[in-house]
Amino acid sequence: LLLRWRRRRGLWKKVEEARRRQERSLVQMETAVHRFREQHPSVNMVSILSLPLPELSKKLRDGSLPLEHVFYAYVGKALQIAIETNCITEYLQESETQVRKAKLTEKLGLLYGVPVSIKDSIDCEGHDSTLGFIKNLNKPAAEDSVVVQVLRRQGAIPFVKTNVPQSLISYDCKNLIFGQTFNPLLYTRSPGGSSGGEGALVGGGGSILGFGTDVGGSLRFPAAFCGICALKPTGNRLSKKGIIAGVLGQKAVVAAVGPMAKDVESLALCMRALLCEDMFNLDSTVPPLPFNEEVYASTQPLRIGYYETDFFTMPSPAMRRAVRETKQMLEDAGHTLVPFELTNVDYMLFNFCVRGMFADGGASFLKKFKGELEKSSMGLFFWLAKSPSWLKTLLSWIAKPFHLLMPFIGFVSFFSTVDEVWSLHYEIEEFCHQFIAQWKKLNLDVMLCPMLGPALSIGYPGKLSVAVSYTMLYNALDFPVGVVPVTVVTKEDEEELKGYKGYFQDWWDRTLAKAFQGSGGLPVAVQCVALPWQEELCLRFMKEVEAL
């Protein structure tokens, strides 16, 4: 007992140190901004912050806007949003030196002088990538991830790292070290996750371009909840070298790294900058596919598939209306809209995604929590994962008739032998081929889909893991998909929500209805999907939706 108490005390000391470091980061930001304002009292920070990224980037490159003005404008705004939402875990103070050095550079990259924010799990040299785990504190990365290296070579200035949920396997944003991050639009709401710090910072205007990762919606939830845009590319379009995954080694559900910004043109500029020789040389496993300007700039009418529901998670009235209205606008603009029918989403979610990610019985995932003070909100998961095989089998058999327990069928029966894992991977490949065949049969260019929204109240994402059905599908398929906000929740939506029952009328459906309540005025987004490696077409479609 004494040893355990000492150990816990040691862990709490590490947590307190990390929190003090976080506080020091904010003080450093405040000091830097105060010093700059004293030296440059006439700089109009508000006008700088109002510039969209393409325009800001142009002014930085042609010299009409000094680098320091832009940098300190964003440090000041980021500080404000961090105080309001608790989204920043660390200030990269060396960014101030980078700004001074950048002025001497002759070769100006596409993102010259642009301050960018980086998710906690993306390595930046000299800084921790904690994933919300105490054991990862005071273990600074030896070098930048490839994405950060390429950003620097393109002139971008990484200046902060942002908060995540413990383990990343969550679409909320809370951990024991840095606490809960809040939605900048309404503090009682979750900012989404796992790239929740990024969503809050970009959504609040404290960063013009942010970078996160996505293994089940982790870029798309924060973008949708915070009213911004995001792109989850095909898994290997951008390098993941130096990016820490939530579950290491699993191949069933494909993760991706991608950008978040206020508008689609900013995402396109970012992809243009990243898809360069530096990226392909630094990581030879990334296919050397530069950004295809012709596809992105095309104005040809599109043939667009769409669906309003996946028949598993009933959409909120605002979600359904978002798809319907967008569909109508696209038709009015001369595009062809074709209904697309989804089937067996529950089977995909539990057999491919849950079983695929935890095929080792959750052992590698559990290992990450060993010696931690808190097991997040996953108590039942841990109990099930540690249960003997006979109990898992019994629970699986008992749970099958009840929709209420469906999410745990995967958990309690998820230990797989090697041949079962291979069989699962083969099944996922076949599912993907069938999905593409259905797509090709309808002769589609792209697809319009619902995106979970509006932002759920804090604490609810942990209870509603089943609601990832709309997003996780495209990680299993490994398709590029973007999120664009298209509307806000109306009084009529709120009224209609009172009759929300869900497809199973179970505890999950009732809880989801509660999580949606009181959301008047909050943004609602749609997903824009393309076939693998067609990020430019995905962005072109997103741009069309945004413009309409």
Side-chain angles (χ1 to χ4, degrees):
L1 275 173
L2 183 63
L3 281 172
R4 187 182 290 180
W5 177 78
R6 279 181 177 164
R7 227 192 108 270
R8 285 180 69 84
R9 195 169 155 217
L11 290 172
W12 275 115
K13 273 190 173 176
K14 283 180 82 173
V15 169
E16 283 158 15
E17 271 172 41
R19 287 175 183 170
R20 280 196 295 272
R21 198 159 56 235
Q22 183 191 28
E23 284 167 21
R24 277 199 303 274
S25 278
L26 300 187
V27 171
Q28 287 166 352
M29 291 169 79
E30 189 176 15
T31 305
V33 173
H34 182 69
R35 189 174 59 240
F36 175 79
R37 281 184 177 149
E38 277 190 332
Q39 292 166 359
H40 304 84
S42 60
V43 173
N44 187 341
M45 303 273 197
V46 175
S47 68
I48 291 170
L49 294 168
S50 69
L51 292 172
L53 179 58
E55 198 179 332
L56 180 82
S57 168
K58 186 173 174 292
K59 285 179 180 290
L60 282 164
R61 282 158 58 86
D62 68 20
S64 60
L65 249 184
L67 263 70
E68 297 104 315
H69 293 196
V70 173
F71 178 76
Y72 289 106
Y74 272 98
V75 172
K77 186 65 178 176
L79 174 63
Q80 179 205 324
I81 301 303
I83 291 166
E84 291 173 7
T85 67
N86 187 35
C87 57
I88 291 173
T89 57
E90 196 171 3
Y91 175 49
L92 313 187
Q93 203 173 8
E94 68 272 17
S95 56
E96 294 176 30
T97 309
Q98 200 187 332
V99 170
R100 289 193 291 274
K101 283 183 180 172
K103 288 194 290 183
L104 310 171
T105 309
E106 287 182 17
K107 181 178 174 278
L108 305 185
L110 282 176
L111 296 172
Y112 173 70
V114 175
V116 297
S117 49
I118 309 290
K119 184 179 182 176
D120 167 279
S121 58
I122 300 173
D123 279 353
C124 291
E125 186 182 338
H127 299 276
D128 294 341
S129 298
T130 69
L131 278 69
F133 289 117
I134 300 166
K135 63 165 67 72
N136 294 338
L137 287 169
N138 308 322
K139 291 181 181 174
E143 64 174 356
D144 286 333
S145 56
V146 166
V147 162
V148 171
Q149 287 183 57
V150 177
L151 284 169
R152 291 195 199 278
R153 292 186 189 192
Q154 285 285 12
I157 300 168
F159 75 116
V160 288
K161 291 198 82 175
T162 56
N163 204 22
V164 294
Q166 188 185 38
S167 83
L168 307 185
I169 308 299
S170 164
Y171 65 102
D172 202 348
C173 192
K174 180 188 179 185
N175 61 70
L176 186 69
I177 304 165
F178 302 112
Q180 174 75 51
T181 298
F182 305 96
N183 191 311
L185 305 176
L186 186 62
Y187 300 153
T188 58
R189 298 290 158 137
S190 169
S194 60
S195 312
E198 283 301 316
L201 188 60
V202 177
S207 172
I208 197 164
L209 182 63
F211 292 86
T213 59
D214 189 311
V215 77
S218 291
L219 281 161
R220 289 163 286 163
F221 282 114
F225 286 11
C226 298
I228 57 172
C229 300
L231 175 71
K232 179 207 80 70
T234 312
N236 213 36
R237 187 77 197 261
L238 299 177
S239 173
K240 289 178 280 191
K241 193 174 175 213
I243 295 173
I244 319 299
V247 181
L248 295 171
Q250 67 83 21
K251 304 286 184 191
V253 186
V254 184
V257 58
M260 303 168 81
K262 281 279 178 86
D263 56 73
V264 178
E265 197 61 57
S266 300
L267 301 178
L269 174 60
C270 172
M271 292 299 284
R272 236 178 243 124
L274 289 175
L275 295 172
C276 63
E277 284 306 313
D278 285 326
M279 172 76 73
F280 310 138
N281 289 333
L282 287 164
D283 186 350
S284 299
T285 67
V286 172
L289 296 169
F291 191 83
N292 190 324
E293 294 291 351
E294 193 182 336
V295 171
Y296 180 63
S298 170
T299 54
Q300 287 290 313
L302 295 167
R303 192 170 164 86
I304 304 162
Y306 75 96
Y307 55 88
E308 290 180 11
T309 178
D310 63 6
F311 297 103
F312 177 70
T313 304
M314 183 178 278
S316 67
M319 282 169 70
R320 200 183 284 271
R321 181 174 58 78
V323 174
R324 278 184 189 162
E325 287 181 359
T326 307
K327 177 239 177 200
Q328 190 56 56
M329 285 178 187
L330 287 162
E331 276 183 333
D332 294 346
H335 302 286
T336 304
L337 276 290
V338 183
F340 189 95
E341 196 171 322
L342 281 187
T343 53
N344 297 330
V345 168
D346 54 344
Y347 185 86
M348 177 279 303
L349 187 63
F350 300 126
N351 286 280
F352 296 170
C353 299
V354 177
R355 275 189 62 220
M357 282 182 78
F358 302 109
D360 62 349
S364 58
F365 185 65
L366 279 174
K367 207 182 291 176
K368 292 193 170 200
F369 289 86
K370 197 175 178 185
E372 292 293 314
L373 286 168
E374 188 188 55
K375 302 292 191 284
S376 189
S377 56
M378 309 186 93
L380 181 57
F381 173 88
F382 282 95
W383 181 81
L384 286 166
K386 288 176 178 176
S387 303
S389 297
W390 66 266
L391 183 57
K392 287 179 185 174
T393 307
L394 177 65
L395 286 169
S396 178
W397 180 78
I398 293 167
K400 273 179 183 166
F402 302 103
H403 290 302
L404 174 66
L405 296 171
M406 279 180 78
F408 299 109
I409 295 170
F411 287 155
V412 297
S413 61
F414 57 15
F415 187 82
S416 305
T417 59
V418 174
D419 65 317
E420 283 171 339
V421 172
W422 287 354
S423 175
L424 177 69
H425 288 178
Y426 174 72
E427 208 180 333
I428 293 169
E429 278 177 28
E430 284 300 296
F431 172 70
C432 186
H433 291 315
Q434 285 164 16
F435 198 97
I436 292 170
Q438 188 181 347
W439 182 298
K440 294 276 174 80
K441 191 178 176 185
L442 296 171
N443 196 23
L444 304 179
D445 296 308
V446 287
M447 184 109 78
L448 172 70
C449 319
M451 175 65 213
L452 190 78
L456 306 187
S457 297
I458 281 172
Y460 276 93
K463 302 172 189 174
L464 291 162
S465 53
V466 291
V468 300
S469 58
Y470 286 102
T471 49
M472 211 164 193
L473 169 66
Y474 295 107
N475 295 91
L477 289 167
D478 194 18
F479 284 16
V481 49
V483 156
V484 182
V486 293
T487 188
V488 295
V489 177
T490 63
K491 284 179 183 172
E492 290 76 19
D493 294 329
E494 288 277 271
E495 194 57 38
E496 204 180 319
L497 184 65
K498 290 175 183 174
Y500 183 97
K501 292 277 191 281
Y503 290 118
F504 304 106
Q505 300 182 26
D506 57 15
W507 182 85
W508 266 278
D509 283 334
R510 289 192 294 277
T511 306
L512 188 55
K514 278 183 203 161
F516 284 140
Q517 282 167 11
S519 303
L522 288 178
V524 180
V526 291
Q527 292 189 98
C528 301
V529 184
L531 290 174
W533 310 108
Q534 294 188 4
E535 281 70 19
E536 296 86 346
L537 183 57
C538 184
L539 286 162
R540 187 247 143 138
F541 178 35
M542 290 169 71
K543 185 172 63 171
E544 194 83 17
V545 168
E546 178 186 60
L548 293 170

